C-alpha cells in the first residue's frame, strides 16, 4: 500500500542554518504531496502542497519540489528561526485534483532551533 | 473563523472502560475526519464523513470503535471497551468538501491504563 518515509529526528539546528527534511513516498497512482506542521500545543496545519510532478510548493520561506523520478518531496528552508521549532509531517493523498482527504502521513520529524 | 473544537483535551481511563470524544467542525464544513495518532507515528485516518454519511471507515476497528455525525454537524467517536493500545491522540479535522484543505483540531489525548 501507499506509504511515506521521512527522516527521523529530532533535528537540532542553530538559528539561520539551512534546513532539509527528507521525505520519500510509495504510491500506486499519482498522489498529491503535502507538508504539515504542528507547533507546540497546537493542531496540525498545512504548510505547503504540490499536486503534480515538478510542482514546487512554498510557504513561510519553506519549499518542497515534487520529484516523481526519485519519489521524493524534501522540505527545505534557507534560514531557520527559533519560531520554526515544531514537528513536521510529510503526507500524501491518492485523491485527485489536490484533494486532501485520506491523507497518509509519515512519522514526523521534530525540529528544534536554538538561538 | 472559529477553528475545529474538540473535547475533552485529555482523558485517562482503565482498560475495558468506555470513552467518548466530541468534535465540532468549522461552521459550514461538510466533510469531517477522525484520525488516530499513536506516539511516535503519523496520524492515521479512522473515519471520514460527508455530511452525516460515512465515506470511508475501512481503518476503523469496528468491534470496539464507533462514530456518528448526527445532523451532519457535530461528531462523536466512542471506544468500548478500551485497550492499552488505544492510547493515542485522537484528531478531528474538517473541510468544506472532500477536495478542500483540512483544518485540524488540537486533539484529545487518551491514556488507557
Amino acid at each position: 500500500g501507499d506509504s511515506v518515509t521521512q527522516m527521523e529526528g529530532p533535528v537540532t539546528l542553530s538559528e539561520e542554518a539551512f534546513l532539509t527534511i527528507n521525505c520519500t513516498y510509495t504510491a500506486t497512482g499519482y498522489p498529491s504531496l503535502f507538508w504539515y506542521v504542528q507547533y507546540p500545543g497546537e493542531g496540525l496545519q498545512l504548510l505547503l502542497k504540490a499536486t503534480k510532478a515538478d510542482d514546487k510548493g512554498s510557504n513561510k520561506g519553506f519549499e518542497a519540489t515534487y520529484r516523481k523520478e526519485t519519489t521524493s518531496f524534501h522540505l527545505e528552508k534557507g534560514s531557520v528561526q527559533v519560531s520554526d521549532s515544531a514537528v513536521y509531517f510529510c503526507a500524501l493523498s491518492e485523491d485527485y485534483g489536490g484533494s486532501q482527504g485520506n491523507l497518509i502521513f509519515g512519522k514526523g520529524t521534530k525540529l528544534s532551533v536554538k538561538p | 473563523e472559529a477553528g475545529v473544537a474538540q473535547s475533552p483535551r485529555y482523558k485517562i481511563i482503565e482498560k475495558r472502560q468506555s470513552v467518548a470524544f466530541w468534535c465540532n467542525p468549522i461552521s459550514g464544513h461538510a466533510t469531517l475526519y477522525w484520525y488516530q495518532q499513536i506516539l511516535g507515528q503519523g496520524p492515521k485516518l479512522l473515519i471520514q464523513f460527508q455530511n452525516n454519511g460515512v465515506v470511508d471507515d475501512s481503518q476503523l476497528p469496528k468491534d470496539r470503535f464507533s462514530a456518528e455525525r448526527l445532523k451532519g454537524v457535530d461528531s462523536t467517536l466512542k471506544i468500548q471497551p478500551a485497550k492499552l493500545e488505544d492510547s493515542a491522540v485522537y484528531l478531528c479535522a474538517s473541510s468544506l468538501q472532500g477536495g478542500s484543505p483540512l483544518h485540524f483540531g488540537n486533539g484529545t489525548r487518551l491514556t488507557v491504563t
Side-chain angles (χ1 to χ4, degrees), chain A:
Chain A
D2 295 354
S3 65
V4 174
T5 302
Q6 59 183 107
M7 64 186 287
E8 295 200 12
V11 174
T12 303
L13 296 174
S14 297
E15 207 165 22
E16 299 184 4
F18 185 86
L19 169 70
T20 299
I21 300 178
N22 291 337
C23 171
T24 57
Y25 67 90
T26 302
T28 54
Y30 301 94
S32 295
L33 302 174
F34 308 87
W35 278 100
Y36 277 80
V37 59
Q38 188 170 31
Y39 297 104
E42 299 184 17
L44 281 164
Q45 303 173 25
L46 177 64
L47 180 60
L48 54 84
K49 68 177 183 180
T51 58
K52 61 182 187 298
D54 300 324
D55 267 2
K56 177 185 284 188
S58 60
N59 186 24
K60 299 181 180 180
F62 290 89
E63 293 183 340
T65 301
Y66 189 141
R67 301 288 188 198
K68 193 171 187 298
E69 63 276 15
T70 54
T71 62
S72 65
F73 193 55
H74 305 320
L75 182 68
E76 297 182 336
K77 186 174 185 182
S79 176
V80 293
Q81 305 299 313
V82 173
S83 58
D84 294 326
S85 298
V87 181
Y88 292 82
F89 292 90
C90 185
L92 69 80
S93 169
E94 282 277 25
D95 295 343
Y96 55 98
S99 168
Q100 296 184 55
N102 300 340
L103 286 165
I104 297 170
F105 286 88
K107 292 185 176 182
T109 303
K110 183 175 182 179
L111 171 66
S112 295
V113 181
K114 307 298 183 186

Side-chain angles (χ1 to χ4, degrees), chain B residues 40-61:
Chain B
Q41 299 183 22
K44 181 186 78 171
L45 179 69
L46 291 176
I47 189 167
Q48 177 184 348
F49 291 94
Q50 180 72 19
N51 296 310
N52 59 352
V54 175
V55 174
D56 183 355
D57 64 356
S58 58
Q59 298 191 87
L60 186 74

Side-chain angles (χ1 to χ4, degrees), chain B residues 7-95:
Chain B
S7 67
R9 192 80 171 89
Y10 304 94
K11 189 73 177 179
I12 300 173
I13 62 172
E14 295 181 352
K15 59 184 179 185
R16 291 187 289 273
Q17 287 186 325
S18 63
V19 64
F21 313 126
W22 173 81
C23 173
N24 181 233
I26 293 173
S27 177
H29 281 197
T31 309
L32 186 146
Y33 312 81
W34 283 101
Y35 283 83
Q36 179 193 56
Q37 185 177 10
I38 293 173
L39 185 64
Q41 299 183 22
K44 181 186 78 171
L45 179 69
L46 291 176
I47 189 167
Q48 177 184 348
F49 291 94
Q50 180 72 19
N51 296 310
N52 59 352
V54 175
V55 174
D56 183 355
D57 64 356
S58 58
Q59 298 191 87
L60 186 74
K62 299 180 187 65
D63 58 334
R64 297 183 301 105
F65 286 64
S66 64
E68 60 183 11
R69 192 184 183 198
L70 300 176
K71 302 181 182 179
V73 182
D74 293 6
S75 177
T76 56
L77 176 69
K78 297 179 182 178
I79 307 175
Q80 181 179 12
K83 293 185 176 182
L84 295 176
E85 58 261 36
D86 298 331
S87 294
V89 176
Y90 291 85
L91 298 167
C92 180
S94 69
S95 64

